[in-house]
Amino acid sequence: MGKYITKRVLVTIPVLLGIILLIFYMLNVVPGDPVTVMMKEHLKEDVIENLRRTMHLDDPFFLRYLRYVWDALRGDLGVSWKLNRSVTALIATAFPYTLRLAVAAALFSWIMGIPVGILSAVKKNSLMDHLSMGLSLFGVSMPVFWVALILQNTFKGVLPVSGANSWQCYILPTVVLGWSSAGRIARLTRSNLLEVMRNDYIRTARSKGLSPLRVISRHALKNALIPVITVMAIQISSLLSGAVITESVFAIPGVGSLAVSAINNRDMPLLQGTVIFTAVLIIAGNLVADVLYSVIDPRIRVE
Amino acid sequence: MQDNILEIHNLVTSFASDGRKDRAIAVNGVDIAIPKGSTVGLVGESGCGKSVTSLSAMGLLPDNGRVESGEAIFCGRDLLKLPDRELRKIRGNRISMIFQEPMTSLNPVIPVGKQVSEALRLHGGMDKETAKRKSIEILERVGVPEARRRYDNYPHQLSGGLRQRVMIGMAMALKPDLLIADEPTTALDVSIEAQILRLMRTLQRESGMSILMITHNLGVVAEICDEVYVMYAGEVVEHADVYALFRDCAHPYTRGLIASLPRMTPKGQRLYTIRGTVPNLRAMPAGCRFAPRCERACKRCWEEKPLLQDIGNGHLCRCHAPVGTNGNGGEGNG
Ligand SMILES: Nc1ncnc2c1ncn2[C@@H]1O[C@H](COP(=O)(O)OP(=O)(O)OP(=O)(O)O)[C@@H](O)[C@H]1O
Ligand SMILES: [Mg+2]
């Protein structure tokens, strides 16, 4: 068990290095000279020369990569060209907003998705089932910005539609961001539960005289939810990283908004920092999902 | 007739299948009686309706299955008409079941001990500690070594034989009046099978319970049963006590089954097989259901459905020309 986790953690290191390399490479071939971006065209030749040297811009690519990784390991992601502040500090300020939104959306999707999925499975083919599966499909397949605009128009005046200065501000973004996850979880819960209910051990449980409710809660649910829990762990990381559109539409100053402003300003260190930060979150989410899976599924636990 | 623990009368069970209006009749008017304290075998090829018969009686049919008619009298009460709440008090308590596949029949994510103690807590009203202590005793009783440690094991950590012992322990936990064992040894190898059968017999002797042993293995029947019902295509075709059945089986199908037993075949001779296959549930022959595969079939067999008749000493057979008669379908055509 401990060995499995250690192995699993060690495996992520090369993955992480590879991803940083990829991002670093892609963003470095994009045209746009940082010094020009920073200073506009007001500078003399020698000042530019000097700046390029202190920023190591003329060093070979691989050297710059290694330097970047080394700095990143110590928590230094460089300095934003546009805002002239430490990227780490910028992300640290923005991240709590993103985290709040993602956690709220995740909770929303679990609290909605799992019970709805269970009810749909139990009342298979009922009106409730069709209705909730329809709504789930809607959530999964509609573009986020479109749902966001509709909700903003519908609830204008009732709920705040932009900003992040009160908890009410998070309600609409949470629904927008969490809806598709909730739909996915509801559908997955439903189909898993239906699948599990066909198993022999469910018949065994019934043959013991357990009530239908206990058969589901004691025997079916744990089996059905194991894959759902894994998906939930992965979703948290994708919610953290996927909030870009939602944050922009609702003007929440999170990491997503930071990334969007970095793109608009051609602020490479900031963009690089946010993208790599997000990639790390996703990898960590997958890691947690794997470990969680091995903890809750006894069949994997021993191996 | 109050010395029967369970009497199934004229049971008819059907299944719906996707995209079809008509229902397939899987069990067609089955009568079975299980005397108190005895072991009754229910044999027949795969798909003849053995499992469906027992599941119908226990109210455990899958969603698409339905009992059309019949009754299953247990201690004076018809199980088929009991409300679910009442039936649940009987299931796992007075009638227990063991299923074929011990791997898939145990819940993979619940420790086996817990699965044993569950019924004890439900029907026996025991608290957690007592139930656990009792479960460990039961596991020891059914021959699970190191029962205390095994209590916390998950099914995949046990061998097939041990899993089936756990299943038996689970079923025996509350000393049921009737144990329905649906092919309990089919998935096990021969030596383990012998051990499991011995265990079941010992437990039966101790508790005086009755057993309905569902199997397609006549060897198992010979080993453990007192009397036998032979099923073919959803119907009982022969019923006799086990000696009479092996000595003078009357139905050509039963004879085929016995002839295809390996040890009944002289050395060097090819193993006998019954030609043809089981008829489709939706396209049953009009006359005898076995006629298309029967070496003795004649015109009457194809046209007229034989009834289950007493051919002496309570030996029942559904055949116009039972083995041992002149084999021309009776009544002088010839
Ligand atoms: N869930 C189901 N849906 C439709 N038909 C079914 C279902 N379960 C069983 N049947 C049909 O009922 C008939 C009897 O099946 P049953 O499981 O009782 O056979 P069996 O005698 O127990 O065979 P086996 O030795 O393979 O266990 C089969 O023809 C099968 O196709
Ligand atoms: Mg069966």
Side-chain angles (χ1 to χ4, degrees):
Chain A
M1 176 70 171
K3 223 167 111 191
Y4 171 77
I5 296 178
T6 318
K7 212 173 93 190
R8 192 62 190 68
V9 171
L10 288 180
V11 164
T12 57
I13 292 175
V15 173
L16 206 55
L17 286 177
I19 284 179
I20 295 178
L21 178 64
L22 208 67
I23 295 170
F24 196 75
Y25 176 75
M26 288 195 300
L27 295 184
N28 274 277
V29 294
V30 176
D33 185 65
V35 182
T36 345
V37 172
M38 286 164 81
M39 306 293 169
K40 302 275 165 46
E41 285 93 24
H42 309 310
L43 278 180
K44 296 203 185 85
E45 270 310 295
D46 57 328
V47 181
I48 291 179
E49 222 18 63
N50 209 1
L51 251 176
R52 290 191 73 87
R53 200 164 321 113
T54 51
M55 290 172 75
H56 304 289
L57 284 176
D58 295 325
D59 287 352
F61 171 78
F62 204 67
L63 199 62
R64 282 189 291 149
Y65 166 70
L66 285 182
R67 186 176 289 123
Y68 186 84
V69 170
W70 177 242
D71 287 345
L73 277 180
R74 294 177 307 164
D76 176 8
L77 292 169
V79 175
S80 157
W81 292 343
K82 192 72 193 174
L83 304 170
N84 203 15
R85 285 181 56 197
S86 142
V87 169
T88 316
L90 285 170
I91 291 179
T93 324
F95 186 58
Y97 293 98
T98 303
L99 187 65
R100 271 196 289 270
L101 180 56
V103 169
L107 288 180
F108 171 79
S109 69
W110 303 342
I111 291 168
M112 293 300 290
I114 293 178
V116 165
I118 294 172
L119 276 179
S120 292
V122 173
K123 301 252 173 263
K124 195 176 98 176
N125 291 332
S126 67
L127 182 66
M128 215 282 307
D129 179 24
H130 292 308
L131 204 67
S132 49
M133 284 308 110
L135 275 175
S136 302
L137 190 63
F138 186 83
V140 173
S141 46
M142 286 303 126
V144 169
F145 67 88
W146 191 72
V147 176
L149 289 179
I150 289 188
L151 288 185
Q152 277 180 332
N153 278 323
T154 317
F155 290 98
K156 209 172 347 179
V158 185
L159 288 168
V161 293
S162 85
N165 36 33
S166 68
W167 66 268
Q168 288 95 331
C169 292
Y170 285 95
I171 296 178
L172 289 182
T174 298
V175 174
V176 167
L177 188 60
W179 191 340
S180 73
S181 307
R184 211 162 287 134
I185 287 180
R187 297 179 78 80
L188 189 66
T189 304
R190 177 182 183 274
S191 66
N192 280 346
L193 194 54
L194 287 177
E195 178 78 38
V196 164
M197 288 302 283
R198 274 198 288 273
N199 273 312
D200 288 352
Y201 56 79
I202 296 299
R203 191 181 55 191
T204 308
R206 291 176 65 207
S207 82
K208 286 191 216 173
L210 297 176
S211 67
L213 197 67
R214 285 210 196 180
V215 170
I216 290 177
S217 64
R218 297 254 176 93
H219 284 265
L221 222 44
K222 194 171 176 198
N223 284 285
L225 287 186
I226 285 173
V228 177
I229 288 172
T230 321
V231 167
M232 280 174 9
I234 294 177
Q235 254 176 6
I236 258 259
S237 64
S238 77
L239 286 176
L240 280 168
S241 57
V244 177
I245 297 170
T246 314
E247 283 181 9
S248 308
V249 176
F250 288 96
I252 291 173
V255 179
S257 296
L258 207 57
V260 171
S261 76
I263 293 170
N264 289 338
N265 296 326
R266 299 201 169 198
D267 191 340
M268 283 312 145
L270 186 55
L271 185 54
Q272 209 159 270
T274 51
V275 173
I276 287 171
F277 178 72
T278 306
V280 171
L281 285 182
I282 294 178
I283 290 177
N286 279 301
L287 182 68
V288 170
D290 267 15
V291 170
L292 213 57
Y293 199 93
S294 73
V295 171
I296 52 181
D297 192 334
R299 283 162 296 189
I300 298 185
R301 204 185 301 166
V302 280
E303 275 136 37
Chain B
M1 289 292 281
Q2 264 322 301
D3 50 351
N4 287 333
I5 188 79
L6 178 70
E7 283 179 29
I8 295 174
H9 292 302
N10 196 26
L11 177 74
V12 178
T13 302
S14 70
F15 284 99
S17 47
D18 286 336
R20 294 190 71 133
K21 278 235 161 68
D22 59 326
R23 301 174 66 88
I25 308 289
V27 169
N28 189 25
V30 162
D31 289 88
I32 287 174
I34 302 166
K36 276 197 179 121
S38 74
T39 301
V40 172
L42 185 57
V43 290
E45 275 166 296
S46 190
C48 69
K50 308 182 294 289
S51 301
V52 172
T53 302
S54 65
L55 294 175
S56 302
M58 296 296 289
L60 291 174
L61 286 173
D63 284 344
N64 61 336
R66 185 171 76 202
V67 172
E68 300 288 344
S69 66
E71 44 188 19
I73 310 292
F74 176 77
C75 295
R77 295 200 287 177
D78 185 356
L79 299 178
L80 303 182
K81 300 205 173 52
L82 278 186
D84 196 52
R85 172 181 290 276
E86 291 300 312
L87 192 54
R88 288 205 304 266
K89 286 188 194 150
I90 294 177
R91 286 206 289 250
N93 184 17
R94 307 200 50 198
I95 308 182
S96 299
M97 301 187 79
I98 313 175
F99 299 101
Q100 173 171 349
E101 239 316 318
M103 180 68 224
T104 56
S105 296
L106 289 171
N107 194 323
V109 299
I110 300 179
V112 291
K114 270 228 170 70
Q115 299 190 50
V116 174
S117 64
E118 195 172 25
L120 290 172
R121 297 191 61 192
L122 178 72
H123 298 293
M126 293 181 196
D127 62 74
K128 219 170 177 167
E129 277 314 303
T130 322
K132 176 166 180 176
R133 203 155 6 94
K134 189 86 202 300
S135 305
I136 293 175
E137 273 171 33
I138 292 168
L139 289 178
E140 274 166 357
R141 181 67 204 85
V142 295
V144 174
E146 297 179 82
R148 194 170 298 277
R149 188 170 64 80
R150 293 293 189 191
Y151 183 92
D152 293 314
N153 276 181
Y154 290 90
H156 69 270
Q157 292 169 291
L158 306 183
S159 68
L162 277 188
R163 282 196 289 259
Q164 200 56 296
R165 285 175 190 271
V166 170
M167 281 293 288
I168 292 175
M170 218 160 85
M172 295 296 301
L174 285 142
K175 300 212 181 310
D177 301 312
L178 173 64
L179 177 69
I180 300 179
D182 192 343
E183 317 220 17
T185 57
T186 306
L188 306 175
D189 57 44
V190 187
S191 62
I192 308 289
E193 171 173 75
Q195 290 174 15
I196 296 287
L197 291 180
R198 208 173 311 133
L199 172 66
M200 290 179 67
R201 221 164 22 196
T202 315
L203 293 173
Q204 180 183 32
R205 214 175 301 128
E206 287 173 4
S207 69
M209 67 173 173
S210 318
I211 299 179
L212 176 62
M213 175 62 95
I214 299 176
T215 177
H216 53 245
N217 184 339
L218 277 174
V220 171
V221 170
E223 192 97 5
I224 190 170
C225 293
D226 301 313
E227 44 185 277
V228 192
Y229 287 83
V230 180
M231 274 185 81
Y232 182 78
E235 295 176 339
V236 171
V237 294
E238 184 161 10
H239 166 57
D241 72 71
V242 72
Y243 301 105
L245 190 90
F246 280 99
R247 198 178 51 232
D248 351 280
C249 69
H251 199 284
Y253 176 62
T254 312
R255 192 176 63 160
L257 285 182
I258 293 176
S260 44
L261 270 178
R263 71 173 118 167
M264 301 281 175
T265 315
K267 257 205 167 85
Q269 199 174 315
R270 271 189 58 185
L271 206 56
Y272 179 84
T273 49
I274 304 173
R275 65 189 170 137
T277 53
V278 187
N280 187 313
L281 285 186
R282 294 171 189 280
M284 280 297 167
C288 174
R289 296 192 162 184
F290 187 60
R293 303 173 69 187
C294 184
E295 286 159 355
R296 300 163 64 85
C298 61
K299 193 154 168 286
R300 182 174 172 212
C301 300
W302 285 95
E303 288 164 355
E304 186 190 328
K305 194 173 155 78
L307 299 173
L308 195 60
Q309 283 172 326
D310 193 334
I311 56 168
N313 296 328
H315 188 152
L316 303 180
C317 179
R318 187 190 293 277
C319 184
H320 292 308
V323 179
T325 64
N326 62 6
N328 65 357
E331 290 119 49
N333 52 0

